[in-house]
Amino acid sequence: MNERASNGLVGWLLISLVLGYAGILLLAPLVMMILGAFKDGLQPILDDLTTPDALSALGLSIRLALLAALTNGVLGFLAAWVLARHNFTGKRIFNALVDMPFVISPVIIGYVMIVLFGRVGWLKDFPIKLAFSVEAMFVVTVFVSLPFVIRELQPVLATLMPEHEEAAYTLGASRWMTFRRVIFPSLRHALTVGVMLTLARALGEFGAAAVIGGAVEGSTETATIFINRALLDRNPSAAYAMSLLLGVIAIILLIAMNRIRHAGGRHVHPN
Amino acid sequence: MSIQIKHAIKRYGAQAVVDDISLDIQDGELFVLLGASGSGKSTLLRMIAGLTPTDGGTVILHGRDVTALTPQKRGTGFVFQNYALFPHMTVAQNIAFGLEVQRLPRRERDARVSELLTLIEMADLGNRLPSQLSGGQQQRVAVARALAANPAVLLLDEPFGALDVKIRGQLRHSLREIQRKLKVTTILVTHDQEEAFELADRIGVIDHGRLLEVGTPDQLYHAPQHRFTAGFLGAAAMLPAHRNGTAVHLGARSLPASADTSHLANQPVEIMVRPESVTVALSPEQVEGHRLGAGLVEGITFAGAFERLTLRLESGEVINALLTTAQARTLALRGGDCVWVGVRDYHILSAGV
């Protein structure tokens, strides 16, 4: 136990403030969501979630999220690797640009995509239809969830000791075997957490997907767009049910990520 | 000959960190490269392993020119200062890694791993993760991992640097035993002269990228050819002198010069005097060894088993002497006292090298 000053008056004030905002901003909506969804028991939730529109929206959301997570898992890994191991002109700019999806509104991204690829856009003759299509929604979903894998991997890559690789080389291991057996195992946890964050962010994407996809029921409507439409249509029970499902998935991901982060700290080298 | 290095050169920019080093190391020898940090000793070791590319020269291991080969093809066992154990692998998996690379059948691999675990006296710790081991245990695992695949040579880069003094002594002893048992040609890099004395068959002293001299610990301590070696291997007073015919002259005093220093005749030389060779007496008749003259006691320092005297000679030179507790009691010296100083043993070396 390290010695810490006992909580004085200021300490208690700070703790109340933190717990207060956590309660209002993080817990209250969760409780509201659960209460609202279960207002009439479990059956209405199941009914609301098994309508053709709901199933289609859910299916699209899951497909997009999985594809985006896979894409960003691979491309993010490559980007983080290149940023950590190679020097090239524009590296710093590229590294700064990685955070762009965090700071720019997804709606703007959707709009820019329409301007570029829409019927009168600059790149309207692009071979893949990238406006008002599922492909376009995939592209914007990848965009909005791009930073997570890179930003999770970067700090771990920076702390890898070159001696580990050199030790493997002197023991006769090829570069590929060294990567597979020595480097990758150290990155696995960070990569998994990054992919899970990507998945969570992609499942929750709304603005860019709504703008670029056109929000057509049964076609380009995702789970979040479904919630929005249910609210506009004064169908709160459907909105609650879908929110609950997305919320549960998010909480499962959150718990899983915490467990992985905890496990990842176990074999950190004392040096 | 296990290791031959011919005119090895490594430059960083304009600076040569390894400056034309040639060295032959015998089969089964434990050779210590001794030098200060930044002297180039670790770089030379990495060049032998192929981890640092050479800018010139040749590295020959067991008669095979490996200069152009990758580290994978050289078959050296390397122990890093931070051990570099693979953190996600158990002790046994770490040791087995090199054998796995060689695609040794599982049963032979397991047998070899348990053999090595026994060798490092960690037979029941094979399933631990490196993070669950003490520093000394990690170091032993690193040695076992490097030895597992029967390397052509064993290279150790400051292997005791990160350990506390007590454990260091034990590990040095066990490393020496393992090395003798396996007769594996070994180069160990260190900045610690005590470690070098304890372990080395021969020591190579390296300074600013140049290999100054090579010799047994005894040779280098008592009869170094370079001023740097004299000072690096232990405390020494360096007294400027001049050698002619059969004697060296320090001011008005002269000491006999041995015949093997005749090549230094009529040259400025220095006389190296180690503190343990300096004698002190209260009268000139009582001086043991060759008389150096009168000296003024400038300081007395308690050093455990000894007392260290700092003496200023008539010539102005400062020289240290070690007195046993008994001697110190008999003489009962104080700062400012005047004594007579002699030397039992001294070594003549060329000035300016």
Side-chain angles (χ1 to χ4, degrees):
Chain A
M1 283 287 281
N2 51 351
E3 208 145 318
R4 223 171 261 167
S6 62
N7 301 315
L9 182 63
V10 177
W12 285 116
L13 272 174
L14 284 174
I15 291 170
S16 327
L17 188 73
V18 169
L19 290 183
Y21 98 71
I24 294 168
L25 291 178
L26 301 177
L27 276 181
L30 203 66
V31 172
M32 272 311 296
M33 191 173 73
I34 293 167
L35 289 180
F38 282 103
K39 196 172 52 173
D40 301 311
L42 188 63
Q43 197 52 48
I45 299 177
L46 293 177
D47 293 344
D48 279 328
L49 286 178
T50 47
T51 63
D53 277 2
L55 284 176
S56 148
L58 203 55
L60 180 60
S61 269
I62 290 172
R63 278 202 308 279
L64 281 174
L66 286 175
L67 271 175
L70 184 71
T71 308
N72 275 330
V74 174
L75 294 181
F77 192 94
L78 290 178
W81 183 266
V82 166
L83 280 169
R85 297 287 174 122
H86 298 279
N87 279 314
F88 52 93
T89 39
K91 175 169 157 173
R92 288 173 59 146
I93 296 172
F94 175 48
N95 191 29
L97 281 178
V98 167
D99 284 331
M100 181 116 99
F102 280 152
V103 294
I104 198 163
S105 163
V107 176
I108 298 173
I109 299 311
Y111 176 65
V112 170
M113 288 284 288
I114 292 177
V115 170
L116 275 179
F117 298 106
R119 220 169 300 160
V120 292
W122 299 348
L123 299 172
K124 60 179 183 293
D125 299 324
F126 197 71
I128 303 165
K129 190 175 175 244
L130 281 182
F132 307 112
S133 69
V134 172
E135 289 85 348
M137 295 170 78
F138 165 69
V139 172
V140 295
T141 309
V142 167
F143 178 86
V144 298
S145 58
L146 178 127
F148 295 106
V149 170
I150 301 175
R151 291 297 186 235
E152 282 292 322
L153 281 172
Q154 272 179 323
V156 185
L157 275 166
T159 57
L160 287 184
M161 291 194 295
E163 288 90 345
H164 282 147
E165 288 155 59
E166 291 176 344
Y169 294 161
T170 60
L171 293 167
S174 63
R175 279 170 168 273
W176 169 240
M177 184 170 182
T178 303
F179 175 79
R180 207 163 46 83
R181 297 287 316 277
V182 176
I183 304 173
F184 189 73
S186 307
L187 303 173
R188 216 178 43 212
H189 285 116
L191 178 65
T192 312
V193 169
V195 166
M196 290 174 112
L197 282 166
T198 309
L199 205 60
R201 175 67 186 85
L203 270 177
E205 172 48 23
F206 172 71
V211 172
I212 192 69
V216 180
E217 302 163 36
S219 156
T220 58
E221 185 177 75
T222 63
T224 49
I225 300 170
F226 174 91
I227 295 169
N228 184 53
R229 183 169 60 86
L231 286 172
L232 293 176
D233 291 351
R234 296 174 191 279
N235 181 5
S237 75
Y240 271 130
M242 188 62 88
S243 300
L244 181 72
L245 184 62
L246 291 183
V248 166
I249 295 174
I251 287 167
I252 291 172
L253 285 172
L254 201 64
I255 293 170
M257 280 187 290
N258 266 299
R259 298 192 74 138
I260 292 167
R261 281 210 169 109
H262 185 71
R266 255 189 329 162
H267 17 256
V268 169
H269 207 267
N271 290 335
Chain B
M1 202 96 65
S2 280
I3 305 173
Q4 282 176 284
I5 299 159
K6 293 179 179 167
H7 305 291
I9 295 173
K10 179 69 197 175
R11 289 188 205 91
Y12 288 118
Q15 202 200 352
V17 285
V18 170
D19 191 358
D20 194 11
I21 288 183
S22 297
L23 183 62
D24 288 345
I25 291 164
Q26 308 298 324
D27 289 336
E29 187 174 8
L30 201 169
F31 190 92
V32 171
L33 273 175
L34 179 66
S37 64
S39 60
K41 56 192 191 308
S42 292
T43 307
L44 182 62
L45 198 73
R46 292 173 57 84
M47 286 161 79
I48 299 169
L51 295 171
T52 296
T54 55
D55 290 331
T58 315
V59 178
I60 297 165
L61 300 180
H62 293 293
R64 186 171 68 127
D65 183 346
V66 299
T67 318
L69 298 184
T70 60
Q72 285 91 340
K73 300 239 165 69
R74 295 195 184 196
T76 62
F78 203 102
V79 175
F80 294 86
Q81 183 171 8
N82 59 15
Y83 320 132
L85 297 178
F86 306 133
H88 55 281
M89 294 185 203
T90 63
V91 166
Q93 287 169 337
N94 264 282
I95 297 174
F97 187 82
L99 306 170
E100 226 177 296
V101 171
Q102 294 189 345
R103 294 170 199 275
L104 204 68
R106 172 133 225 155
R107 209 174 330 134
E108 289 173 48
R109 206 198 300 161
D110 291 347
R112 180 78 179 133
V113 168
S114 66
E115 193 182 318
L116 282 154
L117 282 171
T118 312
L119 185 73
I120 60 169
E121 290 165 22
M122 286 176 61
D124 47 350
L125 298 178
N127 291 322
R128 295 270 182 95
L129 284 172
S131 56
Q132 297 167 316
L133 302 178
S134 71
Q137 289 171 328
Q138 291 182 29
Q139 195 260 13
R140 272 143 65 197
V141 175
V143 171
R145 182 178 69 179
L147 287 171
N150 290 313
V153 297
L154 178 63
L155 308 171
L156 305 111
D157 190 3
E158 300 263 10
F160 309 106
L163 301 168
D164 53 56
V165 181
K166 237 180 202 172
I167 297 168
R168 238 183 260 183
Q170 295 167 10
L171 284 179
R172 270 184 216 159
H173 182 74
S174 75
L175 177 72
R176 190 69 178 120
E177 293 224 312
I178 289 171
Q179 196 269 341
R180 287 234 171 90
K181 200 185 282 179
L182 303 181
K183 299 185 180 70
V184 54
T185 310
T186 302
I187 301 184
L188 184 145
V189 158
T190 184
H191 64 272
D192 181 342
Q193 97 279 2
E194 202 185 308
E195 196 170 296
F197 287 153
E198 194 174 324
L199 288 168
D201 292 318
R202 286 190 304 157
I203 297 172
V205 178
I206 193 165
D207 183 44
H208 287 98
R210 293 189 314 120
L211 185 68
L212 295 182
E213 56 187 308
V214 172
T216 64
D218 184 66
Q219 278 169 356
L220 294 185
Y221 185 77
H222 291 112
Q225 298 306 306
H226 287 78
R227 193 170 215 283
F228 178 85
T229 311
F232 200 74
L233 292 190
M238 305 299 288
L239 309 174
H242 190 86
R243 189 191 189 284
N244 60 13
T246 56
V248 273
H249 304 276
L250 304 97
R253 305 262 156 202
S254 63
L255 301 170
S258 60
D260 60 3
T261 59
S262 57
H263 62 286
L264 299 172
N266 300 314
Q267 277 184 35
V269 294
E270 283 181 304
I271 300 175
M272 180 194 82
V273 181
R274 300 265 182 221
E276 65 272 20
S277 309
V278 177
T279 60
V280 173
L282 296 175
S283 69
E285 297 75 35
Q286 289 172 298
V287 169
E288 197 191 323
H290 306 276
R291 247 178 261 164
L292 279 184
L296 184 72
V297 179
E298 289 205 328
I300 305 174
T301 323
F302 178 70
F306 295 96
E307 268 185 23
R308 182 175 292 113
L309 290 185
T310 307
L311 305 162
R312 185 172 292 278
L313 300 177
E314 286 165 315
S315 57
E317 303 293 331
V318 172
I319 192 168
N320 283 310
L322 289 181
L323 299 185
T324 64
T325 316
Q327 285 174 314
R329 232 175 250 146
T330 321
L331 292 167
L333 294 173
R334 286 198 193 168
D337 284 355
C338 201
V339 292
W340 290 89
V341 183
V343 283
R344 270 191 292 264
D345 198 15
Y346 54 92
H347 171 69
I348 299 165
L349 65 162
S350 174
V353 289

